[in-house]
């Protein structure tokens, strides 16, 4: 008598075949996870780079605006600058000048009047953050009352590998020089 519950000619998968399928699917899933993890890391790194670039540009714009409006450079060095920035009254007239200081503090942070403005600034040996020039374009070191142009050179390291990831430099002519 034949057992109808378990036919002899069953078409099914053996344990070995199932294990091979599980291993293959595991490798495919591992590859996909690695691919998506790499993409997510790349996106996060790009966002960090973008934010650092935006912050560096905003810091540079603020320095340029205030130095450009300055009456003169009171004091300066390769890593700091003090300029007289106009203070306006309610009618838009200049009623006084206030000293504003930008300085490289703690070797990586530029501060404006002791308030951090931008972090991760690299001070590379032999390169100045601030350089000073007179009307004829001749570099003045140390700066004095004849400074009419300042060159700002910012190098920012986003990923802490001691190589600049963002390099911003510009020349700023003092608009109110000699007033």
């Amino acid at each position: 008598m034949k057992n109808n519950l378990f036919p002899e000619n069953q078409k099914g998968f053996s344990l070995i075949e199932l294990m091979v399928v599980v291993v293959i699917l595991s490798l495919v899933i591992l590859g996909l996870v690695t691919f998506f993890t790499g993409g997510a890391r790349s996106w996060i790194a790009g966002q960090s780079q973008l934010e650092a670039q935006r912050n560096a540009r905003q810091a540079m714009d603020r320095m340029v605006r205030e130095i450009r409006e300055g009456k003169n450079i009171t004091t300066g060095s390769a890593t700091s600058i003090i300029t007289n920035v106009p203070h306006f009254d309610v009618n838009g007239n200049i009623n006084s000048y206030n000293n504003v200081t930008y300085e490289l503090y703690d070797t990586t942070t530029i501060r404006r009047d002791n308030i951090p403005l931008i972090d991760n600034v690299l001070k590379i040996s032999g390169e100045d953050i601030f350089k000073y020039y007179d009307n004829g374009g001749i570099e003045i070191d140390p700066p004095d009352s004849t400074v009419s142009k300042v060159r700002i050179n910012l190098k920012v390291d986003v990923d802490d590998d001691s190589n600049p990831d963002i390099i911003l430099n510009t020349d700023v002519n003092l608009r109110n020089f000699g007033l």
Side-chain angles (χ1 to χ4, degrees), residues 100-113:
V100 173
T101 303
Y102 290 102
E103 65 178 333
L104 181 65
Y105 175 78
D106 202 18
T107 69
T108 61
T109 302
I110 290 200
R111 299 189 315 181
R112 179 192 182 276
D113 293 337

Side-chain angles (χ1 to χ4, degrees), residues 114-165:
N114 295 321
I115 297 171
L117 185 63
I118 184 169
D119 292 322
N120 300 327
V121 175
L122 286 178
K123 170 64 172 92
I124 298 174
S125 179
E127 294 185 19
D128 298 335
I129 294 174
F130 300 105
K131 284 190 178 185
Y132 308 92
Y133 299 90
D134 65 8
N135 279 336
I138 298 171
E139 186 175 345
I140 303 171
D141 189 23
D144 58 23
S145 63
T146 63
V147 171
S148 67
K149 181 169 78 171
V150 177
R151 178 168 290 148
I152 305 171
N153 185 20
L154 283 182
K155 296 184 179 192
V156 180
D157 180 19
V158 177
D159 52 12
D160 295 327
D161 64 355
S162 298
N163 291 318
D165 299 307

Side-chain angles (χ1 to χ4, degrees), residues 40-106:
R41 280 191 199 131
S42 186
W43 185 81
I44 290 169
Q47 291 299 312
S48 296
Q49 177 87 8
L50 184 64
E51 182 180 353
Q53 192 168 12
R54 183 176 32 248
N55 291 341
R57 173 56 51 202
Q58 287 174 342
M60 176 70 92
D61 288 346
R62 183 170 189 176
M63 285 192 290
V64 165
R65 184 177 58 249
E66 289 185 336
I67 292 170
R68 180 177 291 133
E69 293 298 325
K71 182 176 180 180
N72 61 10
I73 304 300
T74 306
T75 309
S77 69
T79 58
S80 68
I81 184 172
I82 300 174
T83 185
N84 289 317
V85 177
H87 183 265
F88 297 94
D89 63 16
V90 293
N91 297 323
N93 299 319
I94 297 173
N95 63 4
S96 66
Y97 285 88
N98 300 329
N99 282 340
V100 173
T101 303
Y102 290 102
E103 65 178 333
L104 181 65
Y105 175 78
D106 202 18

Side-chain angles (χ1 to χ4, degrees), residues 16-32:
I16 300 289
E17 291 171 328
L18 289 175
M19 288 177 62
V20 168
V21 167
V22 167
V23 168
I24 291 172
L25 286 175
S26 297
L27 290 174
V28 168
I29 290 172
L30 182 64
L32 288 173

